[in-house]
Each structure stands twice: as structure tokens, then as C-alpha cells.
Amino acid sequence: MSVYENVLKRKDGSEFGLDELKGKVLLIVNTATGCGFTPQYKGLEKLYEEYKDKGFEILDIPCDQFGHQAPGNDDEIHEFCTLTYNTTFPRFAKSEVNGENELPLYTFLKSQMAEDSVTGPINKTIMKGVEKLSTSCKKAGDIKWNFTKFLVDREGNVVGRYSPTTKPEELEKEIKKYI
């Protein structure tokens, strides 16, 4: 299987094949509008504005599996993100990233890179606390919380998995390497 064999649902219910993104660098993020990490939308938008014309895409996949921090329907989530953070990158339908109803895309991503990259003692402590709160993180490789990020190169290889504590700006060097 390849990242390009996956399909996402848009907020209007239509399907979007990731094969349309072949040749682009992708940052895939499970997001939430009511999370302590929600301000990362600002950094994500900054990266998107800087690199979208150079073959970079962000795929925003809202998820309500972590503390019910993505309340509302897809339209309400979209409105919040565009009004609060002026986001312009693609946002897809709210989906699950762990468990029996997880998106096949997340099954694939987790099979390619099973652990988050977490650096620094403070971030490690935060993530240990977050893991204890996560009721959907049941097995090795599961997504631990909102704003876990996967970086995919132009050939469709998963080249990075980053914890929620990794700010988007910290990924700029990695993104530039693959652009």
C-alpha cells in the first residue's frame, strides 16, 4: 500500500484521492479546535503560505477522539479555523485516527512510522501526561493526542512523525529538505 492509495472525505461528503497529490511534500495533521495545541494552526498556516507554491500541502483532519476537543460538525470546525486562524489549507471531514473506525490513511501512516519524535525533557513529560488522558491510544503506534504530524516526501514515503509538542515552525527545516 502507498499513501497515494488512500481517500479522504471532504467536509461536504465528497471523496478526495491522495493520488492527486503525487509529487508534493505532505504534512498530515489530526487537529482539534478546543485543545491546548490548537494555536498551532497559526504556525501551520504560516508554513502553508510559505511553501504551498513550492509543492507543499497540509492535510488537516479534525479528530474528536482525544478529550472531545473537536466539538461541532465539519462546517463549524471549518468556520472556527478560518475565522480564528485564517487557515487556507485543505481541511477534511472529522475522522478517527485510532481504533476499529480509524481512517485507512492513519493505519498506513502508523505502520510506516510507529513512534512520535519527542525531544526535550519538558515535552517528554507533557506527552507522558497526555498518554494517560488518551482513552483511544490502546496499542503501540496509536496516535496519542491531537496535532500529531506526519511528513511525507515527494515520492510518498513517510519521513517523519512528530508529537503534538512539536510546533509547526520546528518542522520548517525538515520540510525545506524535501521540497
Side-chain angles (χ1 to χ4, degrees), residues 85-103:
Y85 293 101
N86 299 314
T87 58
T88 59
F89 47 82
R91 181 166 301 102
F92 294 90
K94 190 185 326 186
S95 302
E96 293 187 9
V97 297
N98 290 332
E100 63 183 56
N101 296 317
E102 74 186 26
L103 280 176

Side-chain angles (χ1 to χ4, degrees), residues 123-140:
N123 290 341
K124 289 179 181 181
T125 301
I126 291 169
M127 286 312 298
K128 282 184 183 180
V130 162
E131 284 179 53
K132 290 177 184 173
L133 295 172
S134 181
T135 58
S136 72
C137 181
K138 303 209 183 281
K139 61 183 193 258

Side-chain angles (χ1 to χ4, degrees), residues 26-175:
L26 309 177
L27 188 63
I28 303 168
V29 189
N30 65 300
T31 61
T33 55
C35 175
F37 297 112
T38 301
Q40 288 187 18
Y41 271 119
K42 185 177 180 182
L44 289 169
E45 181 61 26
K46 185 175 179 193
L47 285 174
Y48 186 66
E49 286 297 319
E50 179 72 25
Y51 298 106
K52 69 181 178 182
D53 294 334
K54 297 173 182 160
F56 175 67
E57 286 291 335
I58 294 176
L59 306 181
D60 177 355
I61 303 169
C63 178
D64 196 36
Q65 285 187 284
F66 306 102
H68 300 293
Q69 295 180 340
N73 63 37
D74 292 327
D75 288 330
E76 291 167 332
I77 290 169
H78 182 72
E79 184 176 327
F80 171 84
C81 294
T82 54
L83 292 176
T84 307
Y85 293 101
N86 299 314
T87 58
T88 59
F89 47 82
R91 181 166 301 102
F92 294 90
K94 190 185 326 186
S95 302
E96 293 187 9
V97 297
N98 290 332
E100 63 183 56
N101 296 317
E102 74 186 26
L103 280 176
L105 172 62
Y106 273 88
T107 305
F108 172 76
L109 293 169
K110 295 185 294 187
S111 76
Q112 299 301 296
M113 195 154 290
E115 288 300 317
D116 296 349
S117 171
V118 183
T119 57
I122 292 172
N123 290 341
K124 289 179 181 181
T125 301
I126 291 169
M127 286 312 298
K128 282 184 183 180
V130 162
E131 284 179 53
K132 290 177 184 173
L133 295 172
S134 181
T135 58
S136 72
C137 181
K138 303 209 183 281
K139 61 183 193 258
D142 272 352
I143 304 299
K144 293 173 181 69
W145 205 255
N146 307 308
F147 289 87
T148 298
K149 303 157 199 73
F150 287 89
L151 185 61
V152 178
D153 70 11
R154 290 183 185 273
E155 286 77 47
N157 303 304
V158 180
V159 294
R161 176 175 171 170
Y162 307 93
S163 82
T165 58
T166 303
K167 295 177 182 162
E169 324 54 275
E170 295 173 44
L171 300 176
E172 188 168 15
K173 186 176 178 181
E174 284 298 299
I175 291 166

